Amino acid sequence: MGGNRQPRRKHPAVSARVCLDGRYVADGYPGIARYTFNLALALAELPQSLQLQFLYDPSRWSARYDLEELADAGVRTLPTNCPTRTVLEQREMPHLARRHGWNLLHVPFLMAPLRLKCALAVTVYDLVALDRAFGLGGLRRQAYRLLLNAVLRRADSLLTLSASTARELLRYRPGVRDRLRVTSAAVDPRFLAEHGVEGNRGLDLPERYVLTLGNVRRHKNIGSVLGAWATLDTRTRRGHSLVIVGAIRREEQAIAERAGVVLLGVLSEAELRAAYSGAALFIMPSLQEGFGFPALEAMASGTAVLRSSIAVFDEVLGEVSEVFDPRSSDALASALASLLAADGRRAALARRGRERAAKGSWAEVARRSLEAYEDALRSRPAGSES
């Protein structure tokens, strides 16, 4: 995978030495990993050169991503065993910053080190953990809120992937407005590439199926998909099976098995692309999200998307997807029945969805991120105390 490798120079060096915290490129953070890895590649391609470093944990690195690709793009990769979201991180990250001479650290997660002397940029992916219905409970939520508030005070720049998350953050802390930028995100370009059926090998996929991605977090709303599917009779399903990729809650797993749902567990990257592209329909039922990478990946793979009517999906996915009320299994069942009976409608959604997914630009995301870095560096001169 590579280590502390010195890359070739693509552009003249500039004074700003920026580190992107890639310790979250791990299987436990699928969306954040997608964002962080692709942002690093796009930053390396900017004509405005910066000395980009990428911190990663070899013991947790996701096999979905090729670390050598970063080094080949001109990114200096820095291995570390410093764990995320711990007291040790608060002590060790300032040492790493001094050792490697960072002018700015960009952390793609709300839990960031607070005692840095360099500038700090933080991506606020979502605020789900503050929601009593879906997030942490009791004392854990209180502790999270305290640390979140400290990070929001300390961060020199705050980035979000959607205007919806930015509005939510401003409702929570209006005072961060001057430090906040919406950078957006884009689909991983690998999902836009044409690929054959090689990813299907070894996958036990039905001939015709509806796909969704499993997740144990309650706001992902997998239970509503199971409930809706259970109400559809054999005729309404029109020969389709329901396939769930990834982990689901134990109680949901029992329901799924009784209903004959195909549970595939965790797939490789090639298998996931094959699962997307072979589906008749992809369901994104979330009650809250920060962006919605899976739905965009399904669109890029040429699959029609049926998604919940939440603001962030209106923004990211627009009118090229079918919409349902995520708090009503009946509404989802009705939308499912309608789309499964309308081959032409699904084909049109698939075509328009792929076109929309292709319009996203990681180069633009990188440019906006660089502007956020420049804001942060201006507000905190190099070497100043936190």
Side-chain angles (χ1 to χ4, degrees):
M1 288 194 309
N4 192 349
R5 171 177 169 179
Q6 296 294 333
R8 58 181 172 85
R9 289 268 182 217
K10 295 190 64 177
H11 308 290
V14 296
S15 58
R17 186 172 295 171
V18 172
C19 180
L20 180 56
D21 189 352
R23 294 175 299 154
Y24 291 95
V25 183
D27 289 333
Y29 303 92
I32 297 174
R34 289 258 186 247
Y35 161 71
T36 307
F37 186 82
N38 283 287
L39 175 60
L41 288 175
L43 286 169
E45 294 296 325
L46 286 178
Q48 302 94 333
S49 177
L50 52 83
Q51 298 178 55
L52 183 62
Q53 301 180 4
F54 187 89
L55 193 69
Y56 74 102
D57 184 344
S59 68
R60 302 178 67 235
W61 181 260
S62 173
R64 296 180 183 277
Y65 305 95
D66 184 359
L67 195 63
E68 292 295 327
E69 190 175 354
L70 291 178
D72 290 343
V75 180
R76 184 182 179 190
T77 54
L78 304 174
T80 182
N81 60 3
C82 179
T84 58
R85 304 169 62 184
T86 62
V87 174
L88 180 62
E89 174 187 44
Q90 299 295 326
R91 187 185 69 195
E92 292 298 319
M93 289 296 283
H95 294 322
L96 288 170
R98 287 194 296 271
R99 183 187 311 159
H100 297 291
W102 301 337
N103 299 113
L104 179 142
L105 172 66
H106 179 185
V107 180
F109 192 76
L110 274 173
M111 301 293 98
L114 302 173
R115 300 175 62 188
L116 297 167
K117 292 184 178 181
C118 66
L120 175 65
V122 175
T123 297
V124 182
Y125 197 73
D126 60 48
L127 294 174
V128 172
L130 295 178
D131 193 308
R132 290 177 181 270
F134 312 122
L136 305 171
L139 293 176
R140 291 182 66 198
R141 186 173 65 252
Q142 293 178 32
Y144 178 89
R145 188 185 296 270
L146 287 172
L147 184 54
L148 168 61
N149 292 341
V151 170
L152 293 179
R153 287 193 299 269
R154 171 58 183 86
D156 302 292
S157 281
L158 295 163
L159 298 75
T160 67
L161 306 193
S162 66
S164 300
T165 300
R167 288 191 295 270
E168 187 178 358
L169 180 58
L170 288 173
R171 285 194 294 269
Y172 179 71
R173 281 290 179 270
V176 305
R177 183 179 299 274
D178 292 342
R179 293 178 283 139
L180 180 60
R181 281 184 181 267
V182 178
T183 65
S184 192
V187 72
D188 188 317
R190 292 176 293 183
F191 289 94
L192 288 166
E194 296 293 339
H195 53 85
V197 298
E198 65 276 2
N200 280 315
R201 294 172 184 168
L203 277 183
D204 188 17
L205 284 171
E207 183 178 350
R208 307 178 74 188
Y209 61 94
V210 173
L211 180 69
T212 193
L213 296 193
N215 194 297
V216 297
R217 301 182 70 186
R218 293 189 184 278
H219 71 279
K220 299 296 186 177
N221 202 26
I222 301 303
S224 72
V225 179
L226 292 172
W229 190 255
T231 67
L232 302 182
D233 59 26
T234 302
R235 181 179 179 182
T236 306
R237 293 178 183 178
R238 295 178 175 267
H240 293 84
S241 300
L242 176 62
V243 173
I244 299 179
V245 171
I248 60 177
R249 303 176 71 86
R250 183 175 300 177
E251 60 269 27
E252 293 168 345
Q253 185 170 351
I255 296 171
E257 289 172 349
R258 287 196 298 270
V261 175
V262 179
L263 302 175
L264 290 185
V266 178
L267 300 184
S268 70
E269 200 72 351
E271 290 171 338
L272 180 59
R273 292 198 298 270
Y276 276 135
S277 61
L281 183 66
F282 179 78
I283 307 174
M284 189 78 174
S286 306
L287 293 162
Q288 289 189 30
E289 282 290 347
F291 187 72
F293 282 110
L296 208 58
E297 291 164 3
M299 285 181 170
S301 302
T303 297
V305 169
L306 174 60
R307 51 88 174 180
S308 56
S309 56
I310 58 177
V312 68
F313 289 167
D314 293 341
E315 175 185 347
V316 174
L317 306 175
E319 297 179 355
V320 295
S321 51
E322 202 78 8
V323 179
F324 68 94
D325 179 356
R327 298 187 181 275
S328 169
S329 288
D330 289 342
L332 175 52
S334 176
L336 265 172
S338 176
L339 275 177
L340 290 177
D343 293 350
R345 172 65 174 158
R346 293 201 314 275
L349 287 172
R351 183 182 67 256
R352 294 172 61 205
R354 184 170 169 82
E355 291 170 355
R356 183 179 181 95
K359 290 179 180 179
S361 167
W362 280 107
E364 179 64 15
V365 176
R367 185 191 65 78
R368 293 177 184 177
S369 300
L370 183 62
E371 290 174 350
Y373 298 167
E374 291 169 346
D375 291 345
L377 290 165
R378 280 193 294 267
S379 70
R380 185 176 294 269
S384 65
E385 291 290 337
S386 300

